[in-house]
Amino acid sequence: MWIVTGSEKGRIRLVSSKDVDALLPIGSYLTVVDDINVKHILIVEESYQMSLFEPSPLIVDTGLPLFSQDQECKNILLAREIKQFPLRPDGMFSYIKPNEKAQRTTQEEINEIFRSKEGYPVFLATNYLRQNSLLRDDVGKLISVKIPFDSLYLQTMICGQTGSGKTVAMKYLIERFLQHEKGAVLAINVKSIDLLTMDQHTSITDENLKLKIEEEWDTIGLIQDNDNEYSIYIPYQKQKYKEGVNQDKIFYITLRTSDLEPNSLLGVLQNVTDRAAEALPNIFRYWKEHVSEPTKRFRNFITWFRERATKENNYVFPTLSQVDEESELYMHPGTCRAILRSLESASTFFDSPSDECVAIRENNIMIPGKLSVIDLSSKDTVVFGAVLLRHLLSKIYESKAVEGQYPELPILIVIDEVHQFYRSTASALALEELNAIARMGRSEKIGVIFASQNPDDLPRGLTAIVNTRIFFRSLGNVSSKYDIKASSVELTSLDAGYAIVSNVSVPQIRFVKFPMPRMGVIS
Amino acid sequence: MYSNVDISKVKIRLNNINKKVTKNVSFTPSDITIMMQEFYLSPTMSCLEDINSKYDLYPDDIQLLSDWDIFAYDESVRNFRSLEGDLFFCSSSTIKIEKKYLFNLTVLPFFFTSMKKFQSSNDESILYADNLSEARNLTMIINKTNSILETVTPHSIILIDGPLVGGNASTYMVKMDVALRNRDCIPLYLVKNSDSRLIIDNDPNLSKEFNNDFHWAVHKLKTCSRSSFFKYTDMYSKEKSKVFSYLKALPGFPERVEMHTDTYTKYKKIIPSLMNLLAYFFIVQGDYSNPQVRPIAIAEKYAREGLRILNIPVLLGKLGFHPTINQVRFG
């Protein structure tokens, strides 16, 4: 038990009673019930010890037995009130008065404060001496809280260094979304086999860790569920695929030029001027409408483009705008060469003649309870990814928002290392669709999770619209930029899985640990 | 004894004082020195050991800590002036050494006045006093003996701040001492400051050289030693009899420990261990400039806290007391 002794600069000061023989870590929750039965919930922001009797050091120097009674210490806490309930009928808020008693907040009280029944559970966490631990109640039970699923439709940003738990958290969110929302998930895998083992049960070899994880699963009742449909889509390539991935789930994909939405082509462009980037979709549209043969092969577009980019043709290209206006455009020979280089490098991903290849469309993705992972982890496939992503997003947007298809189907789009798609202006432009989708998320039940090592890698427009920000271990300067200073926990000191969360629906929740998913983590 | 703080009578008594005597007191406490005057009429002195021998102390001999319960008592006071008299707060603290310190803390206000209308009053909180200082001391002694007798349990060593015999309080103290001994308790009295000359007045050579017994002890004692035991008995009141010695466990000033002669006789076998335990408590406290046994220092800490938690000036204001005229004028 802790006793309120006063307040300091808006924070409540508490002192431990005699029965408390340890320090309560930062991030812990306390409940004070006042004389009119209003419950005040406090979160601990500072915790330190005070020795009551300040014994003489002589006792040690003289080699005499210690006077153990002098070792009694008190735990001093500075805590911030985050909620009080029920609210007073007079419209005012109650004081927390000196000498009122505080107990550690129970799971039942946490449930009362955060009334989200439909949400993905995360554990509340604490920090002391830069060591992280899970928040427990007085009987040692872990305390969890639910972050509403609805907030996923208001977009989520996950940041953290390699090994900080960012990818595991993404897997957890995917798993919870599939299980609860019964929606479709489109995830982009950009490194190793991170998201390619989501059909396999989580397996932990370290016995201690295993026990901890099992305790977490038991606490939140996380059950195994691998009934979901799962497909891995890989750009067609000759090399054999990676070990550890279930080959049955793999589908090679290609892009059909005939299907390609002209603006998606922007994704292939690198090192070209903005003007050229703007022009290419219109040139491509013209080619598709007026030049190409019925088969519409990408190779033929390159050949046609090369023919136009000559002295004889004065480097002039016919164009067709989105509103069917024809025109002509001169491009500098250097720009033409750059575009050609980009088109050549992307050509292998188009119109593959192989029977193994499928031309991926939005109907491959928009299936309830299905996880579709597009693997872009091989070299040079990010360029393809940018085109593909733009193409798919555009189709998803069109089908849901314009054509009104899949009205009840929620979709979650997960893009790991999203900064890779923003490396060039052109590919950044290619993701304009993502912005549009992110902005209409709630009404259409489309959620996007952007993950990156450093939030600064994301365009400011994108970071501004996200409703949930999850910061795993990151560089120190991140905290001041994204308003997470008040949590009193240093981002640089977070252990794997621990994160600082900023969510508009549950602003009182700050420091949490993400549970391990039941599927997809192989240690 | 469960870490108990009793301030329940404070408000009742202050309301009573406010109603019957005064509404105007100084919110700034006035300094008063509470010093039990020692005077010894018709002393009979003897030295129980060789006055010139050295008596070393062994602070590692602390077996008594496991065999006996240890209690300690101290008090803290604060005085507020008014035209009608003095408002006096006494915080009495008795601590017990268990796994942690347990304490029994009582804070009581008293009003001392020389207004004769209160001479025959039975009011516990408003006391008539011809001599304010004497009345205050007497009140403190009664408070002290009550507090100790209420708290201590049988088979305990009790460390008490202040003398056993020497002054008006002796009768009360001796009475308490008898009661404690009947419970198989060993009351030991520790005196930090005193002008007593019982030892030096007994030897013309010493009285030539020294101002008082403490002066003598400072020069006589080496660190971690004690003086021989002396016995004092009042020639006309035999029950006022004590055995005392000066102890110097740390470099700096010595302290006097005294006990009733009956205590000395009854527990003679363990007296050396008792002295060693006191030496241990001095070292645990470890303050050269303010040598005290640790349990009394802790009791003192709690006694002061008793006054602090009341926040007396604020409490007085809330209960309707007004600042005195002088305080209004000079702040």
Side-chain angles (χ1 to χ4, degrees):
Chain A
M1 179 172 68
W2 285 259
I3 292 122
V4 176
T5 61
S7 54
E8 277 177 26
K9 293 177 187 167
R11 296 190 294 182
I12 306 297
R13 191 178 56 247
L14 302 105
V15 179
S16 61
S17 63
K18 260 193 190 312
D19 56 318
V20 177
D21 202 23
L23 292 149
L24 196 65
I26 292 162
S28 301
Y29 289 75
L30 289 170
T31 305
V32 175
V33 183
D34 69 18
D35 48 359
I36 55 164
N37 276 332
V38 170
K39 280 186 180 180
H40 303 257
I41 307 297
L42 312 174
I43 184 163
V44 175
E45 290 188 346
E46 265 185 60
S47 176
Y48 56 92
Q49 73 168 59
M50 183 187 82
S51 51
L52 269 186
F53 302 111
E54 294 172 7
S56 160
L58 275 182
I59 195 75
V60 176
D61 291 346
T62 52
L64 291 171
L66 286 178
F67 200 46
S68 60
Q69 292 77 5
D70 275 348
Q71 293 180 306
E72 190 177 346
C73 289
K74 291 279 181 194
N75 177 204
I76 312 291
L77 302 175
L78 286 174
R80 192 174 297 282
E81 183 171 18
I82 55 168
K83 190 113 179 170
Q84 59 175 260
F85 63 94
L87 292 177
R88 292 162 57 119
D90 60 6
M92 296 175 83
F93 285 82
S94 296
Y95 291 120
I96 299 178
K97 295 171 190 161
N99 288 343
E100 285 182 333
K101 292 168 188 166
Q103 303 274 8
R104 287 163 89 170
T105 304
T106 61
Q107 180 70 64
E108 288 68 34
E109 285 163 343
I110 290 284
N111 294 344
E112 234 176 309
I113 312 164
F114 308 112
R115 287 173 179 274
S116 162
K117 282 182 188 156
E118 308 291 314
Y120 53 90
V122 290
F123 294 103
L124 293 175
T126 64
N127 177 286
Y128 193 71
L129 302 176
R130 297 168 73 96
Q131 288 173 298
N132 309 142
S133 59
L134 291 170
L135 180 67
R136 291 174 187 272
D137 65 10
D138 277 333
V139 291
K141 204 175 162 227
L142 300 175
I143 306 254
S144 65
V145 66
K146 285 178 180 167
I147 298 180
F149 280 113
D150 275 355
S151 63
L152 284 176
Y153 304 123
L154 295 170
Q155 321 323 334
T156 304
M157 174 173 100
I158 304 181
C159 297
Q161 295 169 336
T162 307
S164 63
K166 175 171 50 102
T167 306
V168 172
M170 277 190 324
K171 290 179 184 181
Y172 173 72
L173 291 176
I174 291 171
E175 188 180 272
R176 292 299 87 214
F177 181 85
L178 289 170
Q179 197 163 17
H180 187 271
E181 298 290 275
K182 311 285 182 208
V185 178
L186 169 63
I188 309 295
N189 181 66
V190 288
K191 70 175 196 297
S192 184
I193 56 168
D194 274 353
L195 292 168
L196 307 186
T197 56
M198 289 295 286
D199 57 329
Q200 298 174 33
H201 295 164
T202 290
S203 109
I204 310 287
T205 46
D206 182 309
E207 282 303 315
N208 283 337
L209 182 61
K210 199 172 168 182
L211 284 175
K212 285 181 188 170
I213 300 299
E214 279 169 359
E215 185 194 4
E216 292 179 14
W217 285 344
D218 288 346
T219 304
I220 54 174
L222 208 61
I223 50 164
Q224 205 131 304
D225 176 23
N226 54 348
D227 294 340
N228 300 315
E229 204 179 324
Y230 177 52
S231 298
I232 302 169
Y233 297 103
I234 299 172
Y236 182 75
Q237 57 199 347
K238 283 179 185 155
Q239 72 187 66
K240 206 175 167 218
Y241 208 64
K242 295 165 188 173
E243 275 185 38
V245 177
N246 191 346
Q247 300 295 315
D248 298 347
K249 304 288 178 190
I250 295 175
F251 297 91
Y252 289 107
I253 48 170
T254 188
L255 278 168
R256 297 280 178 234
T257 309
S258 53
D259 290 344
L260 195 64
E261 203 282 315
N263 283 336
S264 308
L265 209 53
L266 288 172
V268 304
L269 296 181
Q270 285 180 27
N271 307 320
V272 297
T273 60
D274 288 354
R275 187 160 174 268
E278 278 169 29
L280 186 64
N282 289 348
I283 296 170
F284 180 70
R285 191 176 287 111
Y286 181 89
W287 174 81
K288 260 181 99 176
E289 293 293 321
H290 300 299
V291 182
S292 69
E293 75 292 6
T295 50
K296 291 187 173 58
R297 304 187 69 80
F298 196 69
R299 172 56 54 196
N300 296 345
F301 172 62
I302 297 174
T303 308
W304 176 79
F305 189 93
R306 184 173 284 119
E307 283 165 8
R308 300 298 310 175
T310 55
K311 224 183 235 179
E312 295 75 39
N313 287 321
N314 298 322
Y315 301 99
V316 172
F317 295 83
T319 64
L320 179 66
S321 75
Q322 274 177 311
V323 289
D324 282 343
E325 278 179 7
E326 284 188 27
S327 176
E328 284 194 332
L329 176 83
Y330 165 77
M331 276 202 287
H332 189 275
T335 305
C336 294
R337 282 195 292 276
I339 290 175
L340 269 172
R341 274 197 300 275
S342 297
L343 294 175
E344 283 288 358
S345 68
S347 65
T348 52
F349 303 119
F350 286 87
D351 309 312
S352 169
S354 169
D355 295 341
E356 293 176 75
C357 282
V358 292
I360 191 167
R361 294 194 173 92
E362 81 279 4
N363 55 6
N364 297 103
I365 313 288
M366 303 294 274
I367 296 169
K370 181 182 177 184
L371 167 59
S372 309
V373 180
I374 297 173
D375 179 37
L376 302 178
S377 57
S378 297
K379 207 180 161 207
D380 296 334
T381 49
V382 170
V383 173
F384 168 76
V387 179
L388 178 68
L389 193 60
R390 170 75 193 238
H391 173 69
L392 283 175
L393 293 177
S394 161
K395 295 289 182 192
I396 289 168
Y397 179 83
E398 212 173 280
S399 61
K400 261 185 101 66
V402 181
E403 293 164 12
Q405 287 179 292
Y406 317 108
E408 298 301 320
L409 180 66
I411 178 158
L412 183 67
I413 298 160
V414 182
I415 306 174
D416 196 3
E417 308 293 349
V418 70
H419 60 276
Q420 295 205 19
F421 295 96
Y422 285 91
R423 269 202 295 227
S424 68
T425 321
S427 51
L429 278 172
L431 288 190
E432 262 180 0
E433 214 75 44
L434 205 56
N435 254 327
I437 282 182
R439 285 172 198 278
M440 63 162 212
R442 190 174 178 143
S443 57
E444 297 295 335
K445 281 207 160 188
I446 302 179
V448 185
I449 298 177
F450 306 97
S452 179
Q453 294 195 15
N454 187 343
D456 289 346
D457 290 342
L458 302 180
R460 198 168 282 177
L462 214 53
T463 54
I465 58 161
V466 293
N467 169 282
T468 307
R469 293 169 182 164
I470 303 169
F471 293 92
F472 288 88
R473 186 177 56 246
S474 308
L475 294 171
N477 61 355
V478 170
S479 52
S480 53
K481 277 191 184 174
Y482 293 91
D483 183 32
I484 49 171
K485 271 189 298 183
S487 58
S488 301
V489 178
E490 289 174 44
L491 272 183
T492 50
S493 71
L494 299 184
D495 293 334
Y498 287 86
I500 294 173
V501 171
S502 158
N503 180 289
V504 176
S505 318
V506 276
Q508 300 90 347
I509 298 174
R510 280 308 220 189
F511 189 34
V512 301
K513 180 184 179 285
F514 274 78
M516 187 76 76
R518 296 296 308 228
M519 307 292 288
V521 179
I522 317 289
S523 78
Chain B
M1 180 178 182
Y2 297 104
S3 297
N4 175 44
V5 183
D6 185 3
I7 51 172
S8 57
K9 288 182 184 159
V10 173
K11 212 171 150 185
I12 299 166
R13 284 190 171 200
L14 287 175
N15 277 330
N16 187 36
I17 293 162
N18 183 291
K19 196 171 158 190
K20 293 182 183 166
V21 200
T22 184
K23 288 187 190 322
N24 298 286
V25 291
S26 154
F27 286 180
T28 315
S30 57
D31 289 333
I32 51 157
T33 313
I34 300 292
M35 180 133 176
M36 298 296 175
Q37 294 300 317
E38 284 185 66
F39 51 90
Y40 298 91
L41 302 169
S42 325
T44 313
M45 279 292 295
S46 60
C47 182
L48 302 178
E49 295 169 305
D50 176 13
I51 193 168
N52 293 316
S53 288
K54 266 178 64 186
Y55 298 94
D56 288 337
L57 296 168
Y58 301 97
D60 52 349
D61 169 23
I62 53 169
Q63 182 56 37
L64 292 179
L65 257 183
S66 332
D67 301 343
W68 293 72
D69 284 338
I70 311 286
F71 285 84
Y73 173 86
D74 201 2
E75 71 259 307
S76 186
V77 297
R78 196 161 293 171
N79 200 65
F80 295 81
R81 291 253 157 89
S82 76
L83 292 174
E84 293 85 349
D86 276 23
L87 179 59
F88 177 74
F89 287 83
C90 182
S91 171
S92 316
S93 146
T94 312
I95 64 131
K96 184 185 183 189
I97 297 174
E98 283 282 344
K99 195 176 169 200
K100 291 181 177 176
Y101 295 117
L102 301 182
F103 60 90
N104 190 12
L105 184 61
T106 310
V107 186
L108 285 175
F110 301 91
F111 195 85
F112 294 103
T113 178
S114 59
M115 290 191 278
K116 293 226 160 134
K117 65 175 177 179
F118 293 107
Q119 201 166 8
S120 53
S121 158
N122 288 328
D123 201 318
E124 281 184 323
S125 52
I126 304 166
L127 305 170
Y128 172 78
D130 271 338
N131 179 334
L132 203 70
S133 156
E134 215 169 79
R136 209 158 35 204
N137 288 355
L138 189 61
T139 302
M140 276 177 60
I141 292 296
I142 294 167
N143 227 19
K144 180 178 189 170
T145 52
N146 287 345
S147 182
I148 292 170
L149 287 171
E150 274 168 21
T151 312
V152 298
T153 49
H155 196 65
S156 304
I157 296 166
I158 302 126
L159 308 174
I160 301 162
D161 189 46
L164 164 66
V165 177
N168 290 339
S170 303
T171 310
Y172 294 93
M173 295 301 289
V174 169
K175 205 172 154 195
M176 176 193 74
D177 196 87
V178 172
L180 288 173
R181 212 165 28 253
N182 288 341
R183 296 185 200 170
D184 187 25
C185 290
I186 307 176
L188 299 174
Y189 303 84
L190 290 118
V191 182
K192 287 194 285 282
N193 302 300
S194 158
D195 294 328
S196 145
R197 297 169 54 91
L198 286 172
I199 298 172
I200 58 167
D201 281 351
N202 231 26
D203 181 337
N205 288 330
L206 294 180
S207 58
K208 217 189 290 177
E209 294 296 324
F210 297 104
N211 182 44
N212 55 36
D213 291 351
F214 263 93
H215 185 200
W216 165 78
V218 166
H219 285 83
K220 157 101 179 153
L221 296 177
K222 297 266 181 285
T223 300
C224 225
S225 72
R226 65 167 176 85
S227 72
S228 52
F229 276 110
F230 297 91
K231 181 181 172 186
Y232 157 86
T233 308
D234 187 318
M235 198 186 291
Y236 302 108
S237 182
K238 301 285 182 204
E239 72 279 8
K240 289 178 185 166
S241 172
K242 68 178 180 183
V243 171
F244 63 93
S245 166
Y246 284 85
L247 249 82
K248 193 176 180 185
L250 291 167
F253 293 97
E255 194 161 338
R256 189 172 78 218
V257 57
E258 55 188 56
M259 67 196 88
H260 197 276
T261 305
D262 291 346
T263 306
Y264 182 79
T265 312
K266 187 174 176 183
Y267 299 101
K268 194 166 183 185
K269 269 189 184 170
I270 61 164
I271 293 292
S273 293
L274 277 169
M275 297 303 111
N276 291 337
L277 182 63
L278 291 180
Y280 173 70
F281 283 147
F282 275 113
I283 292 170
V284 173
Q285 169 68 1
D287 189 342
Y288 295 153
S289 59
N290 177 25
Q292 286 214 73
V293 285
R294 184 69 173 160
I296 291 183
I298 299 297
E300 186 184 37
K301 220 177 216 307
Y302 277 108
R304 286 187 181 160
E305 196 64 16
L307 293 176
R308 201 183 68 83
I309 57 174
L310 273 183
N311 199 356
I312 297 169
V314 174
L315 181 67
L316 290 174
K318 276 187 186 165
L319 291 178
F321 287 88
H322 310 297
T324 55
I325 295 166
N326 277 348
Q327 201 182 344
V328 174
R329 284 180 64 200
F330 304 116

